[in-house]
Amino acid sequence: MSAPLWTYAALIAASGGRADGEPTAPVTGFTFDTRALEPGNVFVALKDQRDGHDFVTGAFKAGASLAIVSDAYDRKPGDGALLRVADPLKALENIGIAARARLSPDARIIAVTGSAGKTGTKEMLRACLSKVAPGRVHASEKSYNNHWGVPLTLARMPEDTLYAIFEIGMNHAGEITPLAKMVQPHAAIITTVEAVHLEHFPSVEAIADAKAEIFSGLQIDGTAIIKRDSPHFKRLAAHAEALGHHVVVSFGLDPRAGATAEALTLGEDASEVDARISGAAVTYRVAMPGRHIAENSLAVAAALQAAGAPLEKALSALATLPPPPGRGARTLLAGPGGEILLIDESYNANPASMRAALATLSAVPRAKFPRRIAVLGDMLELGPAAAKLHRDLFDAVDDAGTDMLFACGPHMKGLYDAAPDAMKGGYAETAAGLLPLVLAHAQAGDAVMVKASNGTRLGALVDAMKAHFGCISPKL
Ligand SMILES: Nc1ncnc2c1ncn2[C@@H]1O[C@H](COP(=O)(O)OP(=O)(O)O)[C@@H](O)[C@H]1O
Ligand SMILES: [Mg+2]
């Protein structure tokens, strides 16, 4: 068996806690969710919507090796080893900081933030680096990118990690700084800055400033990776320079970018990129269609180079990497009399990613799929500008050559009303209400792109379409 993730002594020292009992099994990981607990995991009793202390006994039943609890917790029958601390979240942070500190000086850490594309970019880096150092790559699970997700990911990091990739997100100014300081990356990517989470920000510039906090954790001579083709480029570069002795590498399709594509072929299923990454020429294929994904891949290449990874070998992983769930996954459905192409973008949406997904829909060849259907649900957390930001999408819907528009949610009503009658497929207040309308119209030869914020629940509509028609194949 491999070495335990942590020795008990090291955990006690890192957390500053008081041991109450001795674990009987080696520590295999960390969780705060008993439903996801695997044998040997440390259960951390966090206070979120519910108090994790109510689940400690259940965690031991599920095989926890240890629980990190607050001093005041009363031991229950069935409880195993407890590590008592003043504040379990703070203890998790301290364990995370210790995990970062114990890595070899050769290890290279990459952090990813941005208004869209964090998870996809993080998964590209995970796949690329796993080609170079199999078994020695660590990365955030899912979108674990906040005040508990980042320390949790750090705490889970094995000591012999050679490359680690952290997703870092935020809803408010000031949230990224402490996380970036815990992670201490050698390279930090800002994928893009867009008008999302406007609820908590006076302007898009203020969002750019908050994203730039990621540079506050960069190691000396670290690499700040920012998009060249962005109105915020200069602002972000100035932040990187002000926050330390950092190398700034810009990426994007702008030929002035340090990491750019000299030739780019945007195909139906994939993109071919002839890239130049700070002078190094490399050609690779990305098995996820879309200009925005190809752009993100240039940031990936810049980060790989900054981490000292061999570019060609690492980037070859992108030729077979499928999109993360709900972010562009394609499935062929058995429509009546022929195939329907379903593009599942149901996980996430904001104006920028909506435009990107609509552009990808427009790249589906009409020869194979003559009719383009957009099924759009509300984009959430846009603040007072929400109505306008929804309505303004109409140009993108039209430019994509959308033949039929379905919409759900109170904000999307505005966009739907702005569409010409000939384009209107149906509107319903909820995703569940929209499903029968979509099912009644979808037919062979349709390309159907489904997109909304996750909270709109269009994921269930995607699942119901698959169940209704049947899947011929998961397509990349
Ligand atoms: N650079 C980009 N610009 C616009 N949209 C993007 C970009 N990169 C990814 N997206 C889209 O944003 C959505 C969310 O992607 P994801 O990787 O989950 O981002 P995040 O983790 O930042 O929420 C997906 O639909 C994805 O295709
Ligand atoms: Mg994410």
Side-chain angles (χ1 to χ4, degrees):
M1 226 180 102
S2 57
L5 184 60
W6 286 93
T7 65
Y8 194 33
L11 278 186
I12 296 169
S15 66
R18 187 165 58 79
D20 173 356
E22 183 92 21
T24 51
V27 167
T28 56
F30 291 77
T31 188
F32 48 85
D33 181 349
T34 51
R35 291 161 302 184
L37 192 141
E38 287 172 16
N41 282 181
V42 174
F43 178 75
V44 187
L46 296 184
K47 274 193 186 145
D48 203 35
Q49 277 131 349
R50 305 234 355 224
D51 185 349
H53 290 91
D54 296 343
F55 299 93
V56 171
T57 309
F60 283 113
K61 211 178 254 171
S65 53
L66 172 72
I68 298 180
V69 297
S70 68
D71 288 320
Y73 175 75
D74 285 328
R75 175 179 278 284
K76 310 277 182 322
D79 285 356
L82 302 175
L83 186 54
R84 295 184 177 278
V85 297
D87 173 0
L89 178 58
K90 190 81 200 143
L92 184 66
E93 289 172 11
N94 287 333
I95 294 166
I97 290 165
R100 176 68 185 87
R102 70 181 183 170
L103 290 185
S104 141
D106 298 336
R108 286 293 170 269
I109 312 298
I110 302 168
V112 183
T113 193
S115 301
K118 295 182 290 298
T119 300
T121 301
K122 180 250 304 175
E123 291 302 331
M124 284 200 261
L125 282 163
R126 187 209 294 265
C128 289
L129 290 164
S130 294
K131 276 263 175 196
V132 178
R136 295 189 65 192
V137 178
H138 181 70
S140 316
E141 280 313 306
K142 301 178 189 164
S143 283
Y144 283 5
N145 64 24
N146 64 3
H147 64 284
W148 54 254
V150 172
L152 182 77
T153 306
L154 278 166
R156 288 172 166 179
M157 182 163 63
E159 189 167 6
D160 68 350
T161 298
L162 201 51
Y163 296 109
I165 312 106
F166 290 83
E167 176 170 338
I168 302 185
M170 61 103 190
N171 292 314
H172 300 89
E175 284 174 353
I176 287 183
T177 298
L179 302 177
K181 290 194 164 152
M182 281 177 222
V183 168
Q184 295 183 35
H186 299 89
I189 300 174
I190 300 179
T191 55
T192 185
V193 172
E194 309 285 347
V196 300
H197 297 306
L198 271 176
E199 279 184 308
H200 307 300
F201 289 94
S203 64
V204 186
E205 286 71 28
I207 295 179
D209 295 343
K211 301 283 180 206
E213 290 176 27
I214 198 163
F215 303 137
S216 69
L218 260 183
Q219 301 280 277
I220 292 174
D221 297 329
T223 305
I225 301 170
I226 54 184
K227 195 166 171 171
R228 185 69 182 76
D229 184 14
S230 158
H232 310 290
F233 167 64
K234 288 216 168 92
R235 195 177 185 99
L236 294 178
H239 276 298
E241 281 151 14
L243 283 167
H245 299 284
H246 303 139
V247 182
V248 174
V249 175
S250 62
F251 72 92
L253 301 179
D254 186 316
R256 289 169 297 177
T260 191
E262 291 187 328
L264 172 65
T265 312
L266 295 171
E268 175 203 349
D269 286 342
S271 302
E272 307 282 346
V273 190
D274 278 339
R276 189 176 36 74
I277 312 301
S278 300
V282 57
T283 297
Y284 58 92
R285 177 183 171 84
V286 188
M288 288 180 255
R291 177 184 298 269
H292 56 303
I293 305 293
E295 286 174 341
N296 294 347
S297 77
L298 293 167
V300 166
L304 292 169
Q305 190 180 55
L311 283 184
E312 188 137 354
K313 181 170 184 181
L315 289 164
S316 71
L318 302 184
T320 51
L321 181 70
R327 299 168 181 87
R330 295 178 172 215
T331 311
L332 284 177
L333 304 180
E339 293 172 354
I340 296 173
L341 174 65
L342 176 65
I343 305 175
D344 175 9
E345 286 269 2
S346 60
Y347 178 75
N348 211 334
N350 58 53
S353 69
M354 275 286 187
R355 288 201 163 79
L358 286 161
T360 307
L361 175 65
S362 76
V364 175
R366 290 222 189 252
K368 266 199 219 158
F369 296 99
R371 193 164 71 156
R372 294 177 188 157
I373 297 183
V375 181
L376 307 182
D378 274 5
M379 303 179 285
L380 306 177
E381 299 181 33
L382 291 180
K388 179 170 169 8
L389 290 168
H390 281 76
R391 254 195 333 271
D392 286 354
L393 275 182
F394 180 73
D395 286 347
V397 171
D398 204 31
D399 289 350
T402 305
D403 300 294
M404 198 174 250
L405 172 68
F406 292 88
C408 67
H411 291 309
M412 273 299 169
K413 178 91 169 59
L415 173 67
Y416 189 75
D417 288 343
D421 285 347
M423 197 193 280
K424 285 187 166 125
Y427 171 83
E429 216 141 85
T430 64
L434 193 59
L435 175 66
L437 307 180
V438 175
L439 290 181
H441 283 87
Q443 61 187 43
D446 286 346
V448 184
M449 195 278 288
V450 181
K451 190 163 182 73
S453 289
N454 200 18
T456 310
R457 303 205 181 287
L458 277 181
L461 181 141
V462 165
D463 291 342
M465 282 187 75
K466 289 181 181 170
H468 178 85
F469 291 112
C471 301
I472 300 173
S473 76
K475 222 171 166 270
L476 276 186

